């Protein structure tokens, strides 16, 4: 069974401050891990993903995430927040096997950037 | 990159009518497509898995007679909400899986039932 927990449904940061969005997962198989961003009334845009290899993954818009197996975490960070980063962020996990297609999404974290 | 489109992007319909939502993979073939539902301020919930040429697999609690899914070709899956009611109002998102098992999400369809 797989599941995702996002700690903090709302996060507020000042413009230029560090962004840290937390994600913990549980998976009975080696997981594929994803972060998506969703702007109002839009679909999901992939920020980054971890499949295998290097545990520090760099994505678009300056975001990165680190897979920590010992902590079962995949936290999303960005050194300096921009106003345009204000959105809903979803962490997701799916099984690494070809048949493990189903995504399990966290409940989302709404990021507010304060000018 | 691979692109998935949905049509319409938003639709308003009257209670009791049916509405069809299309999900297309524009530049790749998708043997499997997925339909999700998202309520305001909530996460995506998988409704069903659609396989080309076969019946869809529905998640527990999803009424298959209400949410009809057809995956007639490798690039098109449709979701028909039959006899829609206001509680069916939601944001519906599809995703499509390509031949190397990458999944791509569509932009979503906002359904409002009045």
């Amino acid at each position: 069974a797989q599941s995702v927990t996002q700690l903090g449904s709302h996060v507020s940061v000042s413009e230029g401050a560090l962004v840290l969005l937390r994600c913990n997962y549980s998976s009975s198989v080696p997981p594929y891990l994803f972060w998506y961003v969703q702007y109002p009334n839009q679909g999901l845009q992939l920020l980054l993903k971890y499949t295998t290899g290097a545990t520090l993954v760099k994505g678009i818009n300056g975001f990165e995430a680190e897979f920590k197996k010992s902590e079962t975490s995949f936290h999303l960070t960005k050194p300096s927040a921009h106003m345009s980063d204000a959105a809903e962020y979803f962490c997701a996990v799916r099984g690494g096997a070809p048949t493990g297609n189903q995504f399990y999404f966290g409940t989302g974290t709404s990021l507010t950037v304060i000018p | 990159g691979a692109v998935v489109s949905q049509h319409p992007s938003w639709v308003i319909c009257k209670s009791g009518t049916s509405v069809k939502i299309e999900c297309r993979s524009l530049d790749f073939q998708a043997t499997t497509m997925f339909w999700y539902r998202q309520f305001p301020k909530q996460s995506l919930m998988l409704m069903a898995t659609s396989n080309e040429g076969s019946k869809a697999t529905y998640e527990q609690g999803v009424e298959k007679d209400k949410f009809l899914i057809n995956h007639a070709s490798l690039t098109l899956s449709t979701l028909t909400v039959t006899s829609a009611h206001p509680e069916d109002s939601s944001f519906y998102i599809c995703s499509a899986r390509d031949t190397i098992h990458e999944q791509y999400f569509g932009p979503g369809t906002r359904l409002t039932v009045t």
Side-chain angles (χ1 to χ4, degrees), chain A residues 36 38 41-44 49 90 94 98 101-103 105-107, chain B residues 34 36 38 42-44 46 91 97 101-103 105-107 110:
Chain A
Y36 288 90
Q38 185 181 36
N41 294 310
Q42 295 187 28
L44 301 181
K49 66 179 179 182
F90 292 97
R94 75 171 171 92
N101 294 303
Q102 183 172 343
F103 276 78
F105 287 89
T107 51
Chain B
F34 303 87
Y36 295 85
Q38 185 182 29
Q42 295 188 29
S43 189
L44 283 73
L46 180 66
F91 195 53
R97 188 187 77 183
H101 305 289
E102 290 290 341
Q103 285 194 43
F105 286 83
R110 171 74 60 194

Side-chain angles (χ1 to χ4, degrees), chain B residues 74-91:
Chain B
L74 288 172
T75 59
L76 173 64
S77 176
T78 60
L79 167 67
T80 301
V81 183
T82 62
S83 187
H85 291 284
E87 57 265 31
D88 299 324
S89 299
S90 190
F91 195 53

Side-chain angles (χ1 to χ4, degrees), chain B residues 16-91:
Chain B
T17 62
S18 296
V19 61
K20 180 184 289 187
I21 302 169
E22 294 184 348
C23 176
R24 293 182 184 272
S25 56
L26 297 185
D27 49 4
F28 66 98
Q29 293 185 331
T31 55
T32 303
M33 291 183 173
F34 303 87
W35 286 96
Y36 295 85
R37 183 173 182 176
Q38 185 182 29
F39 289 106
K41 305 296 184 183
Q42 295 188 29
S43 189
L44 283 73
M45 298 300 296
L46 180 66
M47 298 175 66
T49 302
S50 165
N51 293 296
E52 187 266 337
S54 64
K55 291 184 178 180
T57 302
Y58 291 82
E59 295 299 302
Q60 190 173 9
V62 178
E63 299 176 61
K64 60 181 66 176
D65 294 331
K66 180 169 188 61
F67 298 100
L68 301 180
I69 292 173
N70 183 276
H71 193 158
S73 77
L74 288 172
T75 59
L76 173 64
S77 176
T78 60
L79 167 67
T80 301
V81 183
T82 62
S83 187
H85 291 284
E87 57 265 31
D88 299 324
S89 299
S90 190
F91 195 53

Side-chain angles (χ1 to χ4, degrees), chain A residues 2 12 22 25 27 29 40-41 64 72 82-84 88 96-98 108-109 112 114:
Chain A
Q2 295 160 45
S12 293
R22 299 179 186 274
Y25 70 92
S27 177
V29 297
N41 294 310
E64 62 182 37
T72 60
H82 293 170
M83 295 300 294
S84 59
E88 190 81 17
T109 298
T112 300
I114 304 167

Side-chain angles (χ1 to χ4, degrees), chain A:
Chain A
Q2 295 160 45
S3 67
V4 175
T5 301
Q6 289 183 242
L7 213 58
S9 58
H10 293 87
V11 171
S12 293
V13 300
S14 297
E15 190 175 14
L18 171 72
V19 176
L20 170 61
L21 305 183
R22 299 179 186 274
C23 173
N24 288 88
Y25 70 92
S26 67
S27 177
S28 55
V29 297
Y32 287 6
L33 295 159
F34 304 79
W35 274 100
Y36 288 90
V37 61
Q38 185 181 36
Y39 296 97
N41 294 310
Q42 295 187 28
L44 301 181
Q45 180 181 6
L46 179 65
L47 279 177
L48 48 80
K49 66 179 179 182
Y50 168 80
T51 54
T52 59
T55 57
L56 181 62
V57 181
K58 294 185 184 299
I60 62 172
N61 301 340
F63 285 94
E64 62 182 37
E66 186 171 10
F67 169 57
K68 292 187 176 180
K69 185 178 180 179
S70 61
E71 299 178 7
T72 60
S73 70
F74 191 57
H75 302 329
L76 180 71
T77 61
K78 182 174 180 177
S80 176
H82 293 170
M83 295 300 294
S84 59
D85 294 327
E88 190 81 17
Y89 291 80
F90 292 97
C91 181
V93 63
R94 75 171 171 92
T99 55
N101 294 303
Q102 183 172 343
F103 276 78
Y104 295 87
F105 287 89
T107 51
T109 298
S110 178
L111 176 65
T112 300
V113 182
I114 304 167

